[in-house]
Amino acid sequence: MQNPVRFSSCRGVAFEIKPHADPFALSTQNNNQDDPKGSGWLSWFQAGGNSSKIFPSTVNRSMSRVSSHFCDLDHEEDDSPEEEEEEVDGIISLKTLEEGKVEEHPLKMASKREQPPKMAARKQESGRLSVILLDQGLFTVYKRLFVVSLTLNIVCLVLAATGNFAYAKNRASLFAIANILALTVCRSEAFLRVVFWLAVKVLGRSWIPLPIKTGTTALLQSLGGIHSGCGVSSIIWLVYSIILTLSDRENTSSAIIAVASAILSLLFLSALAAFPLVRHLHHNIFERTHRFAGWTALALLWAFVFLTISYDPKTKSYSSELGSRLIRQQEFWFTIAITIFIIIPWITVRRVPVKISSPSGHASIIKFEGGVKPGILGRISPSPLSEWHAFGIISDGKDEHMMLAGAVGDFTKSLVANKPSHLWVRQVHFAGLPYLVNMYDRVLLVATGSGICVFLSFLLQPCRASVCVLWVAKGIEQNFGNEIKEMMSGHPKDKVIVHDTAVLGRPNVSQMSIDTAKNWGAEVVIVTSNPEGSRDVVNACKGAGISAFGPIWDS
C-alpha cells in the first residue's frame, strides 16, 4: 500500500480559514432540499444517480476511525508495517495525535496507545484486507462480471459433459485458449486505451442519457472481473480437456498430455498468486509469478498447438507439413492474438532520462519529456523484469509530464535518497477511471493526499468536462512543494477547494463531497483516495442520489 505524503498550508488556493477556540468547531448549515436518485435501464452497472444543485454546508469533523490505507496509485507494498503512520490521505494520524497537534477523544487515544506495535500492525493488515475482500460491497459490478463470466463457462461445460454441446466437448482445449485470450484482452493496456478513447468519443455528448454513461463507466472500470472469471474458467476447461484426453489415451501422445498438464499447473499457480490474501500480503511475489508463469505458459501453449495440430492418431506420429493445417485452426489464431497483446507493452519499454526532485523526505516528483493528455496513468520501473509501479500523470499537455511518488517502499524511498538519472518506462500509457471524466459535462473530482496528482492535468489543460476539484490533505506546501501548490492556485474558488487538515482539522470527506457535488451541479463524482476512503465517499454519494466512482482494488 502507498504511504502518505505530508504537506503544509497551500496559500493562494480558494479556501478560507476562520479562527475558532476549538480547531474543529466549524460552523454548519442545514440542507433541507432532498436529492432524488436517478434510475435507468443500465442500473445494473450504475453507481448512483443524478442530483439537483444546492449549496453545500460547511464541513463537520468526522468521528470515523483513522484510516490505514492509501491512494492506490503506487502498487508497491509497505516494507515496514510496524512503523508509526503519519497523516493518511488527509486524515489525522496516531503520531500527530500523540504529539498533541490536535485533540482526540481520550478513550480512543488510550486504546490506540495501549496496543503493542505488532498487534497494531496485525490489526492494520487485517483491516486493509477486509476492505479489499469487501471492496465497496458484496455485489459490485466487478463481482457480477466475475460471476457472469464463470457461470456462462460452467453452463457450456455442463452442456458439453452431458452430450448437449458436441462442439465444446470436441474442442475443450479451444475453449480454454479462448478464455485465456479474453483475460489477456481485459488486461491489455494498449487495447483498453483504444476502448476508453472510443467510449469518450462516442458517449461524450450532452444528449447521451446519464445512465448510459455511468453504466459504461462502471463496466470499463470493472473489466478485471471478466479477467478473473475467464482465468478460473480456463483452468476448468483445461482440466476437462485433460480428462477427456486421458479417457482416450490411445489417440493422443504423452507429450501432449505432459505439455497440457504443465500449462494447467502454471495457470493454477498464477490464479493462486492472484488470490486477494496472497496478492495483498506478497505483492511482489504475485507480480513476478503472474509475469514469468504467464510467459512460460504462453511458450508451452505454442508447443501444445503445434503438437496437437501435427499429431496423427492413426500413424501415432507428428507431421512436418503444418502450413495449410495451421491456418485452418482456431487455436492457432487465438494463440497469435494472445501473443500480440502480451508483447505490445514490452516492445514499448524504454530507458529514459528523468529529473527527480524531493519537496520533502516523504515524496519525490519525477519529470519526463513529452506532454500527456489528462486522465492518463503510466508505469515506471528500476528493473523492468522485476517490478513495475503505476502512478497518475501530471501534465499541461506541452513539453513534459511528471509523477508524484510517495516514499513508501524500497523503490519509492530510493527516489528520495538516491535519485536515479534514468528509469524504465512503458511508452504506451494506459487509461484509467479519471480518463472517463471527458465523457461527462460536469464532474466533481475528490482527492485525498497524493491522490491529487491524477486530477491536476484537468486543471492544467482544457478538457471537455467542467470540473471542480476537492482536495483534502495535510500540510500542503511544506511537503508537496511550491510547484504543485502553484498548479492549484489561481482558479475560481468554486472550482478548486482545498481543505488542509493541519489547519482546519479532519473533515467528514463523504459529506463534504456530497455538499460540493450538489453545489457544483455535478453529474458524477470521481474519487481517488485510499480503499476505505473511496468506499465511504462512493457509498455516501450513492445514498444521496449522486453517481460516484472510486478506484477498486483490481480495477
Side-chain angles (χ1 to χ4, degrees):
M1 307 296 291
Q2 183 177 347
N3 273 329
V5 291
R6 292 171 294 170
F7 316 113
S8 65
S9 177
C10 181
R11 295 183 298 273
V13 183
F15 66 85
E16 183 179 2
I17 302 175
K18 296 181 179 181
H20 296 281
D22 183 347
F24 296 113
L26 302 178
S27 62
T28 60
Q29 297 175 359
N30 294 326
N31 293 321
N32 298 321
Q33 183 172 350
D34 295 328
D35 187 53
K37 295 185 179 180
S39 60
W41 64 275
L42 280 179
S43 60
W44 193 76
F45 286 129
Q46 290 183 28
N50 202 355
S51 65
S52 59
K53 181 178 180 181
I54 63 174
F55 289 97
S57 63
T58 307
V59 180
N60 293 322
R61 180 189 175 192
S62 169
M63 294 303 294
S64 61
R65 71 177 180 83
V66 177
S67 172
S68 60
H69 306 280
F70 306 90
C71 175
D72 193 19
L73 295 177
D74 180 5
H75 299 290
E76 184 176 45
E77 294 294 323
D78 188 353
D79 295 325
S80 54
E82 295 181 13
E83 294 179 359
E84 285 186 291
E85 294 192 14
E86 300 293 333
E87 185 272 336
V88 180
D89 284 340
I91 307 300
I92 305 299
S93 70
L94 292 180
K95 186 173 181 180
T96 304
L97 293 171
E98 291 176 358
E99 290 175 351
K101 295 179 182 178
V102 295
E103 298 178 1
E104 176 68 320
H105 193 284
L107 295 179
K108 291 179 68 176
M109 284 299 301
S111 62
K112 291 176 181 177
R113 289 172 179 163
E114 291 169 0
Q115 292 181 351
K118 291 186 177 180
M119 182 180 298
R122 291 192 195 101
K123 288 186 176 182
Q124 175 181 318
E125 289 296 327
S126 175
R128 289 175 177 174
L129 186 59
S130 66
V131 171
I132 289 172
L133 293 175
L134 301 176
D135 186 27
Q136 296 183 12
L138 292 173
F139 302 104
T140 60
V141 176
Y142 178 97
K143 296 179 178 73
R144 292 172 185 174
L145 291 175
F146 174 86
V147 171
V148 168
S149 302
L150 185 59
T151 300
L152 289 176
N153 277 280
I154 291 177
V155 169
C156 290
L157 189 142
V158 170
L159 292 174
T162 56
N164 296 308
F165 195 178
Y167 180 78
K169 184 173 183 179
N170 297 329
R171 309 293 294 276
S173 60
L174 174 63
F175 278 73
I177 297 174
N179 274 281
I180 295 174
L181 174 59
L183 69 88
T184 303
V185 168
C186 288
R187 278 293 182 257
S188 171
E189 294 175 351
F191 176 79
L192 292 180
R193 177 78 180 269
V194 175
V195 172
F196 275 62
W197 177 82
L198 285 173
V200 170
K201 200 73 174 177
V202 174
L203 301 179
R205 307 172 190 277
S206 299
W207 55 268
I208 299 292
L210 183 59
I212 294 179
K213 296 181 180 181
T214 55
T216 302
T217 301
L219 175 63
L220 293 179
Q221 182 192 19
S222 305
L223 289 177
I226 300 178
H227 172 84
S228 301
C230 289
V232 176
S233 299
S234 67
I235 295 175
I236 297 174
W237 277 108
L238 193 51
V239 169
Y240 178 59
S241 176
I242 292 175
I243 292 174
L244 292 178
T245 302
L246 291 175
S247 64
D248 189 24
R249 186 70 178 268
E250 295 180 355
N251 293 319
T252 190
S253 70
S254 299
I256 293 175
I257 296 175
V259 172
S261 300
I263 295 173
L264 176 62
S265 300
L266 291 170
L267 291 177
F268 182 79
L269 180 62
S270 295
L272 183 64
F275 188 73
L277 182 62
V278 179
R279 179 174 175 177
H280 173 68
L281 298 178
H282 308 283
H283 187 272
N284 287 339
I285 293 177
F286 152 75
E287 183 178 352
R288 293 166 188 172
T289 300
H290 233 57
R291 178 176 301 127
F292 293 110
W295 288 352
T296 306
L298 178 61
L300 290 174
L301 180 59
W302 274 110
F304 177 80
V305 170
F306 280 112
L307 288 174
T308 53
I309 294 177
S310 64
Y311 184 73
D312 186 350
K314 295 181 179 179
T315 62
K316 300 188 182 304
S317 61
Y318 298 96
S319 173
S320 58
E321 299 178 0
L322 290 177
S324 60
R325 297 175 64 182
L326 275 175
I327 62 176
R328 293 196 299 267
Q329 299 299 318
Q330 291 172 286
E331 291 90 341
F332 172 71
W333 294 107
F334 282 8
T335 306
I336 283 182
I338 293 170
T339 305
I340 291 174
F341 284 121
I342 290 178
I343 286 178
I344 285 176
W346 292 99
I347 62 178
T348 67
V349 171
R350 299 288 187 275
R351 187 171 181 265
V352 300
V354 296
K355 298 178 182 178
I356 301 178
S357 60
S358 300
S360 70
H362 303 280
S364 59
I365 296 176
I366 315 162
K367 293 187 177 181
F368 307 82
E369 295 181 354
V372 177
K373 294 182 179 180
I376 298 298
L377 298 92
R379 299 188 190 275
I380 60 176
S381 173
S383 177
L385 294 180
S386 61
E387 55 182 309
W388 285 89
H389 307 271
F391 297 92
I393 293 178
I394 307 170
S395 176
D396 60 3
K398 297 178 182 178
D399 300 324
E400 67 178 12
H401 63 278
M402 57 187 178
M403 299 176 178
L404 171 70
V408 183
D410 292 339
F411 169 63
T412 47
K413 288 178 180 177
S414 69
L415 296 177
V416 175
N418 302 300
K419 300 177 178 60
S421 60
H422 291 74
L423 286 172
W424 293 90
V425 301
R426 292 181 184 176
Q427 292 184 316
V428 175
H429 299 126
F430 64 100
L433 175 62
Y435 186 80
L436 298 178
V437 166
N438 293 295
M439 191 186 297
Y440 301 91
D441 294 328
R442 295 183 70 83
V443 182
L444 170 63
L445 305 176
V446 180
T448 61
S450 59
I452 189 61
C453 63
V454 77
F455 293 146
L456 279 173
S457 295
F458 292 101
L459 298 177
L460 300 179
Q461 53 182 299
C463 66
R464 180 189 174 279
S466 178
V467 300
C468 171
V469 178
L470 169 61
W471 186 22
V472 178
K474 180 185 177 184
I476 295 164
E477 183 181 356
Q478 175 186 348
N479 294 289
F480 227 148
N482 184 68
E483 186 172 11
I484 300 298
K485 184 201 75 173
E486 291 298 325
M487 293 179 185
M488 298 292 294
S489 305
H491 302 283
K493 64 180 181 179
D494 62 335
K495 185 180 178 69
V496 175
I497 303 170
V498 175
H499 185 100
D500 190 336
T501 62
V503 178
L504 299 175
R506 182 174 66 181
N508 184 328
V509 181
S510 298
Q511 187 59 49
M512 193 177 189
S513 301
I514 294 172
D515 294 339
T516 306
K518 291 179 178 180
N519 184 44
W520 183 250
E523 294 178 312
V524 67
V525 174
I526 295 181
V527 55
T528 301
S529 182
N530 55 73
E532 197 172 46
S534 295
R535 180 195 61 191
D536 291 344
V537 171
V538 168
N539 289 341
C541 289
K542 286 168 60 179
I546 306 170
S547 299
F549 300 93
I552 62 176
W553 179 66
D554 193 28
S555 58

